[in-house]
Amino acid sequence: MKAVHPASLVIAAGVVAALHVGKLPPALPALQQVLGVSLVQAGFLLALFQLAGMTLGLPAGLLIQRYGPRRSMLAGLLVLSLASALGGAAQGTTGLLASRVFEGLGFLCVVLPAPGLLRALVPSGRLSRALGAWGAYMPLGAALAMLVGPWVMAQADLAWGWRIWWWLLSALSVLLAAGVYRSVPADQSAPLGGASPLSSQAAPLSPGGLGLLRLTLRSRGVWLVALCFSMYSGQWLAVIGFLPSIYAQAGFGLPPGFAAWLTALAAAVNILGNLAAGRLLHLRVPPLVLLVAGFAAMGGGAWLAFGVEASPWFRYLAVLAFSMLGGLIPGTLFSLAVRLAPSTATVPAAVGWMQQWSAFGQFCGPPLVAWVAGHAGHWQLTWTVTGACALAGMGLAWQIHGLLGRER
């Protein structure tokens, strides 16, 4: 039997981590009935997962550089497993909220090392496509969670179904940790300023991590990529995360299983955009074209889905366009983060800073959209939030383009 390529396991680890993000939306109806979770609390359950990333992204990137990306990924998978197991045993909203914070920490330790690991494991000629595939980890995990979660929860009664779902993902995280441990090459000792995420052949940039921190934060390119990612991530999670609730309030009259399929499809088509971004970057399509196209599609798709009078199915097609073409953005930004990092040694810190701002967007997006929907009485003003993010993202894309032009 052909062995699994280590790079495939790295991407699979990201998908498993994303399953923990996506496991919540299909469970919200049960949580609202069993634990009395309100709509705003649901928004914070979605958002609190990102608390660790929002506050610790950059420091975690520096620690990963110090202790090694493989060790960090293994630790993250084990933290995810433990936190999910404890969350499944929670007896109230407070315990569930606390478990989501620790799940967020585990998620951060899994996803931050991945681009650096891929850079070390994949030949340079295939790196753009590998990073494009990595950019699909979140929509693939979210789609699988929204598709498989309802089926798993339906195998037990209302009070236990969501708990079994939490515990199943806990076990899956342990299995993936075992796969990474066996197949991904061990970290090698490396000074902080080394030339490779897995090994070092260059002298340190400074005696400690503060030098890398200063170098990363002085990079305008790193800031632009990070802010751009926040404009994407907040609106994507807000729309996709609340789709089951939107279906219910819009009176689609869909069976729960069919609604799960539609939500999973809306998340999954984002993968096509990520993969297309990797391919198009490999074919030398300018990043500006991909970023502007993605943000324009997200702004226009959200307006058609929520801001105009149309049939439910037309609106759903607009959500598909929102998600699929929006996938051009993360696939492009992961590649740019590696490219615009001040040095090879600062790649984990640059990705950490990008993840920190991505988490900030995801932390703010769902509660803000929920607040707007609550005041409006429905979801018809959702497009105002996503449209503002899209316009800001396009402005940042133009600035990145100017920076790349000077780089050439």
Side-chain angles (χ1 to χ4, degrees):
M1 183 181 294
K2 187 177 180 180
V4 178
H5 193 283
S8 298
L9 282 171
V10 169
I11 295 173
V15 173
V16 170
L19 279 167
H20 288 275
V21 182
K23 70 185 178 185
L24 182 64
L28 282 177
L31 292 174
Q32 288 174 320
Q33 293 186 53
V34 175
L35 299 182
V37 175
S38 68
L39 182 61
V40 173
Q41 285 176 326
F44 277 104
L45 278 171
L46 282 168
L48 273 177
F49 193 94
Q50 304 301 329
L51 183 62
M54 187 176 68
T55 57
L56 300 175
L58 183 57
L62 295 173
L63 287 174
I64 287 164
Q65 180 67 22
R66 183 179 184 89
Y67 293 107
R70 178 176 172 270
R71 292 189 192 96
S72 301
M73 183 169 282
L74 288 170
L77 287 166
L78 295 176
V79 169
L80 277 172
S81 177
L82 179 59
S84 190
L86 293 175
Q91 299 301 311
T93 305
T94 301
L96 191 59
L97 287 167
S99 74
R100 291 294 282 177
V101 173
F102 284 100
E103 285 177 1
L105 179 61
F107 174 85
L108 192 68
C109 292
V110 171
V111 302
L112 287 189
L117 279 170
L118 291 174
R119 184 173 184 170
L121 295 170
V122 176
S124 59
R126 292 178 9 207
L127 183 59
S128 291
R129 279 182 278 188
L131 290 171
W134 166 251
Y137 80 90
M138 179 62 79
L140 179 55
L144 289 173
M146 293 175 186
L147 187 60
V148 178
W151 180 84
V152 171
M153 290 184 285
Q155 306 309 305
D157 61 33
L158 186 68
W160 283 96
W162 72 271
R163 298 183 188 277
I164 292 172
W165 176 223
W166 258 239
W167 292 332
L168 179 63
L169 291 181
S170 173
L172 183 60
S173 300
V174 172
L175 288 176
L176 223 294
V180 170
Y181 180 80
R182 292 185 59 184
S183 299
V184 175
D187 298 318
Q188 299 178 24
S189 298
L192 287 172
S196 167
L198 295 183
S199 63
S200 176
Q201 299 176 0
L205 289 170
S206 75
L210 289 179
L212 291 179
L213 179 64
R214 286 193 295 268
L215 187 61
T216 301
L217 292 181
R218 286 173 182 169
S219 170
R220 184 163 176 260
V222 170
W223 273 93
L224 290 174
V225 169
L227 292 172
C228 201
F229 211 119
S230 72
M231 295 299 105
Y232 160 80
S233 63
Q235 57 178 318
W236 190 84
L237 183 62
V239 171
I240 301 301
F242 280 124
L243 270 185
S245 301
I246 293 170
Y247 295 147
Q249 292 191 19
F252 273 46
L254 298 173
F258 192 53
W261 275 92
L262 292 180
T263 305
L265 178 61
V269 294
N270 188 265
I271 299 168
L272 300 177
N274 278 275
L275 296 177
R279 179 63 178 169
L280 292 170
L281 287 171
H282 183 72
L283 295 174
R284 309 292 186 184
V285 175
L288 175 66
V289 173
L290 302 180
L291 292 175
V292 170
F295 279 118
M298 294 186 85
W303 176 68
L304 291 173
F306 302 106
V308 302
E309 291 294 332
S311 70
W313 293 111
F314 176 84
R315 295 184 178 190
Y316 178 71
L317 290 175
V319 170
L320 291 182
F322 166 93
S323 182
M324 180 174 66
L325 295 176
L328 294 170
I329 299 168
T332 303
L333 291 177
F334 275 113
S335 180
L336 287 173
V338 172
R339 178 177 172 182
L340 293 175
S343 72
T344 302
T346 61
V347 168
V351 174
W353 194 233
M354 184 176 76
Q355 188 66 39
Q356 193 157 337
W357 280 93
S358 172
F360 179 78
Q362 293 179 63
F363 182 86
C364 296
L368 180 58
V369 166
W371 180 80
V372 170
H375 277 265
H378 213 293
W379 303 92
Q380 69 270 21
L381 294 182
T382 298
W383 70 272
T384 61
V385 178
T386 59
C389 291
L391 288 173
M394 283 189 269
L396 291 165
W398 277 102
Q399 294 186 57
I400 292 172
H401 177 69
L403 194 63
L404 292 174
R406 289 196 294 275
E407 183 187 78
R408 290 194 295 269

